[in-house]
Amino acid sequence: TSTIDRQQFHDALDLVLDRHIDPVDPRALMAKGLKHMAGGLDSYSNFLTAEERELARKREQQGADAGMVVRLSAGPLGDGESQALEVVAVMPGGPAEQLGIGPGDMLLEVRGRASERLVSAAEAQILLAGSPGERIDIELLRAGRSRGESLELELAKPDADALVRGELLHQPGDKAIALVSVRSFRAGVGERVKKQIAELRRAAGKAGLEGIVIDLRGNPGGEVDEALIIADAFIEEGILTRTRGRGGKILREERASVAGTDTSTPLVILQDARSASASELLAVALQDHHRATIIGERSFGKGTVQERIGLPDGSLLTLTVARYFSPDDRAIDGRGVDPDVVVPEGSTALEAAIDQLGGA
């Protein structure tokens, strides 16, 4: 472990600036240093220069993207040093899905920039966003393949309606089960799920619903508040989630409101190893309150809070500042949420949910 202190660090920086054989731009050097320092802390902390932050803002306003979530992970060489962008999830009907891209595929290059040279997934998301109809070049290594392929991907605006899909599964005796699939927690998804359940309940008629299945398999998360809207619809009172900062200090607690709570309809949550972040907070809140049965695999284990801190020069530091904990004070980060009923990945999870509700 290095014993270098702040003063020694500044002294070393001065030596680099004063004595390197070629003149060094101090701003560029310090920005590069901050990128590697922040990116080396954890998978979600990062630093964007003022130029990168402005480009990210511009592309976000343009509103189109590649329809996939990526993370930096060990590269396909398996040497422990190379890295690539692993596809974690693809949005239904989006550009990535239309090209047959799926979880586990690797992006080796985006817009001519090698994934090897990226310091954070935040840089990748900038490269994967732009204006509707814009075409970008990517180099893709599909899971199980040994050779990459060059593809042209056309960016598109996300289809919000495709993020929530519902259907009635009819059972013997005229009762039905409401199946609601949630692919990502973007703005408006929480209310959309509640509306979908209400529509399915009306469609079920007088016989009513035998139960509700919320499918979170492959859901990488997103906006936590949207997931908590759904949790609040089924939990009458008490804590939904809490955040703890350094030293375990409680920073915030979100509590349920009584209005409009469904406390009686049997509920099942489906999850898999790719269910992450907001998905896990929804599942564990319902599990701790004994309001739902969790079926599937242990979830991914992303339970941290990031704060975005703008710096005076216009750059942006995103820093992990807290961890999420369940109502019973269970940590999610690095552990995931264990299902009540373990079912390996595959369609049998839905069958297990139907069996569970049939016996409820």
Side-chain angles (χ1 to χ4, degrees), residues 149-195:
E149 58 182 296
S150 297
L151 297 171
E152 188 179 66
L153 185 148
E154 183 176 332
L155 304 180
K157 288 191 174 185
D159 179 4
D161 292 333
L163 297 180
V164 179
R165 291 283 171 84
E167 64 176 302
L168 277 183
L169 306 177
H170 291 281
Q171 302 299 301
D174 293 329
K175 278 208 168 185
I177 291 171
L179 171 63
V180 180
S181 300
V182 187
R183 297 294 294 269
S184 179
F185 287 103
R186 299 199 182 192
V189 162
E191 290 299 330
R192 192 170 283 115
V193 169
K194 290 170 62 176
K195 181 180 178 183

Coordinates of all heavy atoms in Angstrom, one line a residue, residues 149-195:
E149 N -17.8 -8.1 -35.0 CA -18.4 -7.7 -36.3 C -18.8 -6.2 -36.2 O -19.1 -5.7 -35.2 CB -19.7 -8.5 -36.6 CG -20.8 -8.4 -35.5 CD -22.0 -9.3 -35.8 OE1 -22.7 -9.0 -36.8 OE2 -22.3 -10.2 -35.1
S150 N -18.7 -5.6 -37.4 CA -18.9 -4.2 -37.5 C -20.4 -4.0 -37.8 O -20.9 -4.6 -38.8 CB -18.1 -3.5 -38.6 OG -16.7 -3.6 -38.2
L151 N -21.1 -3.1 -37.1 CA -22.5 -2.8 -37.3 C -22.8 -1.3 -37.3 O -22.1 -0.6 -36.7 CB -23.4 -3.5 -36.2 CG -23.3 -5.0 -36.1 CD1 -24.0 -5.4 -34.8 CD2 -24.0 -5.7 -37.3
E152 N -23.8 -1.0 -38.0 CA -24.3 0.4 -38.0 C -25.6 0.4 -37.3 O -26.5 -0.3 -37.6 CB -24.5 0.9 -39.4 CG -24.8 2.4 -39.4 CD -25.0 3.0 -40.9 OE1 -25.9 2.6 -41.5 OE2 -24.1 3.8 -41.3
L153 N -25.7 1.2 -36.2 CA -26.9 1.3 -35.4 C -27.5 2.6 -35.5 O -26.9 3.7 -35.4 CB -26.4 1.0 -33.9 CG -27.4 0.9 -32.8 CD1 -26.9 -0.1 -31.8 CD2 -27.7 2.2 -32.2
E154 N -28.8 2.6 -35.7 CA -29.6 3.9 -35.8 C -30.3 4.3 -34.5 O -31.1 3.5 -34.0 CB -30.7 3.8 -37.0 CG -31.4 5.0 -37.2 CD -32.4 4.9 -38.4 OE1 -32.1 4.1 -39.3 OE2 -33.4 5.7 -38.4
L155 N -29.9 5.4 -34.0 CA -30.4 5.8 -32.7 C -31.9 6.2 -32.8 O -32.4 6.7 -33.8 CB -29.7 7.0 -32.2 CG -28.1 6.9 -32.0 CD1 -27.5 8.2 -31.5 CD2 -27.8 5.7 -31.1
A156 N -32.6 6.0 -31.7 CA -34.1 6.3 -31.7 C -34.5 6.7 -30.3 O -33.9 6.3 -29.3 CB -34.9 5.0 -32.2
K157 N -35.6 7.4 -30.3 CA -36.2 7.8 -29.0 C -36.8 6.6 -28.3 O -37.4 5.8 -28.9 CB -37.2 8.9 -29.1 CG -36.6 10.3 -29.5 CD -37.7 11.4 -29.4 CE -37.0 12.7 -29.6 NZ -38.0 13.8 -29.4
P158 N -36.6 6.5 -27.0 CA -37.2 5.3 -26.3 C -38.7 5.3 -26.4 O -39.3 6.3 -26.3 CB -36.7 5.5 -24.8 CG -35.6 6.5 -24.9 CD -35.9 7.3 -26.1
D159 N -39.3 4.1 -26.5 CA -40.7 3.9 -26.5 C -41.2 3.7 -25.1 O -41.0 2.5 -24.6 CB -41.1 2.7 -27.4 CG -42.6 2.5 -27.5 OD1 -43.3 3.3 -26.9 OD2 -43.0 1.5 -28.1
A160 N -41.7 4.7 -24.5 CA -42.0 4.6 -23.0 C -43.1 3.5 -22.8 O -43.1 2.8 -21.8 CB -42.6 5.9 -22.5
D161 N -44.0 3.3 -23.8 CA -45.1 2.3 -23.6 C -44.5 0.9 -23.7 O -45.1 0.0 -23.1 CB -46.1 2.5 -24.8 CG -46.9 3.8 -24.6 OD1 -47.0 4.3 -23.5 OD2 -47.4 4.3 -25.7
A162 N -43.4 0.7 -24.3 CA -42.8 -0.6 -24.4 C -42.1 -1.1 -23.1 O -41.8 -2.2 -22.9 CB -41.8 -0.7 -25.5
L163 N -41.9 -0.1 -22.2 CA -41.3 -0.4 -20.9 C -42.2 -1.2 -19.9 O -41.7 -1.8 -19.0 CB -40.7 0.8 -20.2 CG -39.7 1.6 -21.0 CD1 -39.3 2.9 -20.2 CD2 -38.5 0.7 -21.3
V164 N -43.5 -1.0 -20.1 CA -44.5 -1.7 -19.2 C -45.5 -2.4 -20.1 O -46.1 -1.8 -21.0 CB -45.2 -0.7 -18.3 CG1 -46.2 -1.4 -17.5 CG2 -44.2 0.1 -17.5
R165 N -45.5 -3.7 -20.0 CA -46.5 -4.5 -20.8 C -47.3 -5.4 -19.8 O -46.8 -6.0 -18.9 CB -45.7 -5.4 -21.7 CG -45.1 -4.7 -22.9 CD -46.1 -4.2 -23.9 NE -45.5 -3.3 -24.9 CZ -44.9 -3.7 -26.0 NH1 -44.6 -5.0 -26.2 NH2 -44.4 -2.8 -26.8
G166 N -48.6 -5.5 -20.1 CA -49.5 -6.3 -19.2 C -50.3 -7.2 -20.0 O -50.7 -7.0 -21.2
E167 N -50.7 -8.3 -19.4 CA -51.6 -9.3 -20.0 C -52.3 -10.1 -18.9 O -51.8 -10.3 -17.8 CB -50.9 -10.2 -21.0 CG -49.9 -11.1 -20.4 CD -49.3 -12.1 -21.4 OE1 -50.1 -12.9 -22.0 OE2 -48.1 -12.1 -21.5
L168 N -53.5 -10.6 -19.2 CA -54.2 -11.5 -18.3 C -53.9 -12.9 -18.6 O -54.0 -13.3 -19.8 CB -55.7 -11.2 -18.4 CG -56.4 -10.1 -17.6 CD1 -57.9 -10.1 -17.8 CD2 -56.0 -10.2 -16.2
L169 N -53.6 -13.7 -17.6 CA -53.4 -15.1 -17.8 C -54.6 -15.8 -17.2 O -54.8 -15.8 -16.0 CB -52.1 -15.6 -17.1 CG -50.8 -14.8 -17.4 CD1 -49.6 -15.3 -16.6 CD2 -50.5 -15.0 -18.9
H170 N -55.4 -16.4 -18.0 CA -56.7 -17.0 -17.5 C -56.4 -18.3 -16.9 O -55.7 -19.2 -17.5 CB -57.7 -17.0 -18.7 CG -58.2 -15.7 -19.1 ND1 -59.1 -15.0 -18.4 CD2 -57.8 -14.9 -20.1 CE1 -59.4 -13.8 -19.0 NE2 -58.6 -13.8 -20.1
Q171 N -57.1 -18.5 -15.8 CA -56.9 -19.8 -15.0 C -58.3 -20.5 -15.0 O -59.3 -19.9 -15.2 CB -56.4 -19.5 -13.6 CG -55.1 -18.8 -13.6 CD -54.0 -19.6 -14.2 OE1 -53.7 -20.7 -13.8 NE2 -53.4 -19.0 -15.3
P172 N -58.3 -21.8 -14.6 CA -59.5 -22.5 -14.5 C -60.4 -21.8 -13.4 O -59.9 -21.3 -12.4 CB -59.1 -23.9 -14.0 CG -57.7 -24.0 -14.6 CD -57.1 -22.7 -14.5
G173 N -61.7 -21.9 -13.6 CA -62.6 -21.2 -12.7 C -62.9 -19.8 -12.9 O -63.3 -19.0 -12.1
D174 N -62.5 -19.3 -14.1 CA -62.7 -17.9 -14.6 C -61.9 -16.9 -13.9 O -62.0 -15.7 -14.1 CB -64.2 -17.6 -14.4 CG -65.1 -18.4 -15.4 OD1 -64.6 -18.7 -16.5 OD2 -66.2 -18.6 -15.0
K175 N -61.0 -17.3 -13.0 CA -60.1 -16.3 -12.3 C -58.9 -16.1 -13.2 O -58.5 -16.9 -14.0 CB -59.7 -16.8 -10.9 CG -60.8 -16.5 -9.9 CD -60.1 -16.3 -8.5 CE -61.1 -15.7 -7.5 NZ -60.4 -15.4 -6.2
A176 N -58.3 -14.9 -13.1 CA -57.2 -14.6 -13.9 C -56.0 -14.0 -13.1 O -56.2 -13.5 -12.0 CB -57.6 -13.6 -15.0
I177 N -54.8 -14.1 -13.7 CA -53.6 -13.6 -13.0 C -53.2 -12.4 -13.9 O -53.1 -12.6 -15.2 CB -52.5 -14.6 -12.9 CG1 -52.9 -15.7 -11.9 CG2 -51.2 -14.0 -12.5 CD1 -52.0 -16.9 -11.8
A178 N -52.9 -11.3 -13.3 CA -52.3 -10.1 -14.0 C -50.8 -10.3 -14.1 O -50.2 -10.3 -13.1 CB -52.8 -8.9 -13.3
L179 N -50.3 -10.3 -15.3 CA -48.8 -10.3 -15.5 C -48.4 -9.0 -16.1 O -48.9 -8.5 -17.1 CB -48.5 -11.4 -16.5 CG -47.0 -11.4 -17.0 CD1 -46.0 -11.7 -15.8 CD2 -46.8 -12.5 -18.1
V180 N -47.5 -8.3 -15.3 CA -47.0 -7.0 -15.7 C -45.5 -7.0 -15.8 O -44.8 -7.3 -14.8 CB -47.5 -5.9 -14.8 CG1 -46.9 -4.5 -15.2 CG2 -49.0 -5.8 -14.6
S181 N -45.0 -6.8 -17.0 CA -43.5 -6.9 -17.2 C -43.0 -5.4 -17.2 O -43.5 -4.6 -17.9 CB -43.2 -7.5 -18.5 OG -43.6 -8.9 -18.6
V182 N -41.9 -5.2 -16.4 CA -41.4 -3.9 -16.3 C -39.9 -4.0 -16.7 O -39.1 -4.6 -16.0 CB -41.5 -3.3 -14.9 CG1 -41.0 -1.9 -14.8 CG2 -42.9 -3.4 -14.3
R183 N -39.5 -3.3 -17.8 CA -38.2 -3.5 -18.4 C -37.2 -2.5 -17.9 O -36.0 -2.7 -18.0 CB -38.3 -3.4 -19.9 CG -39.1 -4.5 -20.5 CD -38.5 -5.9 -20.4 NE -37.3 -6.0 -21.1 CZ -37.2 -6.5 -22.4 NH1 -38.3 -6.8 -23.0 NH2 -36.0 -6.6 -23.0
S184 N -37.6 -1.3 -17.4 CA -36.7 -0.3 -16.9 C -37.5 0.7 -16.1 O -38.7 0.9 -16.4 CB -36.0 0.4 -18.1 OG -35.1 1.4 -17.6
F185 N -36.9 1.4 -15.2 CA -37.6 2.4 -14.4 C -37.2 3.8 -14.8 O -36.4 4.5 -14.2 CB -37.3 2.2 -12.9 CG -37.9 1.0 -12.3 CD1 -37.2 -0.2 -12.0 CD2 -39.3 1.0 -12.0 CE1 -37.9 -1.3 -11.5 CE2 -39.9 -0.1 -11.5 CZ -39.2 -1.2 -11.2
R186 N -37.9 4.2 -15.9 CA -37.7 5.6 -16.4 C -38.9 6.4 -15.9 O -39.8 5.9 -15.3 CB -37.6 5.6 -17.9 CG -36.5 4.8 -18.5 CD -36.1 5.2 -19.9 NE -35.0 4.4 -20.4 CZ -34.4 4.7 -21.6 NH1 -34.7 5.8 -22.3 NH2 -33.4 3.9 -22.0
A187 N -38.8 7.7 -16.1 CA -39.9 8.6 -15.6 C -41.2 8.2 -16.1 O -41.4 7.9 -17.2 CB -39.6 10.0 -16.1
G188 N -42.2 8.1 -15.2 CA -43.6 7.8 -15.5 C -43.9 6.3 -15.4 O -45.1 5.9 -15.4
V189 N -42.9 5.5 -15.2 CA -43.1 4.0 -15.2 C -44.0 3.6 -14.0 O -44.9 2.7 -14.1 CB -41.8 3.2 -15.2 CG1 -42.0 1.8 -14.8 CG2 -41.2 3.3 -16.6
G190 N -43.7 4.2 -12.8 CA -44.5 3.8 -11.6 C -46.0 3.9 -11.8 O -46.8 3.0 -11.5
E191 N -46.4 5.1 -12.3 CA -47.8 5.3 -12.5 C -48.4 4.5 -13.6 O -49.5 4.0 -13.6 CB -48.1 6.8 -12.8 CG -47.9 7.7 -11.6 CD -48.8 7.4 -10.5 OE1 -50.0 6.9 -10.7 OE2 -48.5 7.7 -9.3
R192 N -47.5 4.2 -14.6 CA -47.9 3.4 -15.7 C -48.2 1.9 -15.3 O -49.2 1.3 -15.7 CB -46.9 3.4 -16.8 CG -47.3 2.8 -18.2 CD -46.3 3.0 -19.3 NE -46.4 4.4 -19.8 CZ -45.4 5.3 -19.7 NH1 -44.3 4.9 -19.1 NH2 -45.5 6.5 -20.2
V193 N -47.4 1.4 -14.3 CA -47.6 0.1 -13.8 C -48.9 0.1 -13.0 O -49.7 -0.9 -13.2 CB -46.5 -0.3 -12.9 CG1 -46.8 -1.6 -12.1 CG2 -45.2 -0.6 -13.7
K194 N -49.2 1.1 -12.2 CA -50.5 1.1 -11.4 C -51.7 1.2 -12.4 O -52.7 0.5 -12.1 CB -50.4 2.3 -10.5 CG -49.5 2.2 -9.3 CD -49.3 3.5 -8.6 CE -50.6 4.0 -8.0 NZ -50.4 5.2 -7.1
K195 N -51.5 1.9 -13.4 CA -52.6 2.1 -14.4 C -52.9 0.7 -15.1 O -54.0 0.3 -15.3 CB -52.3 3.1 -15.4 CG -53.4 3.4 -16.5 CD -53.0 4.5 -17.4 CE -54.1 4.7 -18.5 NZ -53.6 5.7 -19.5

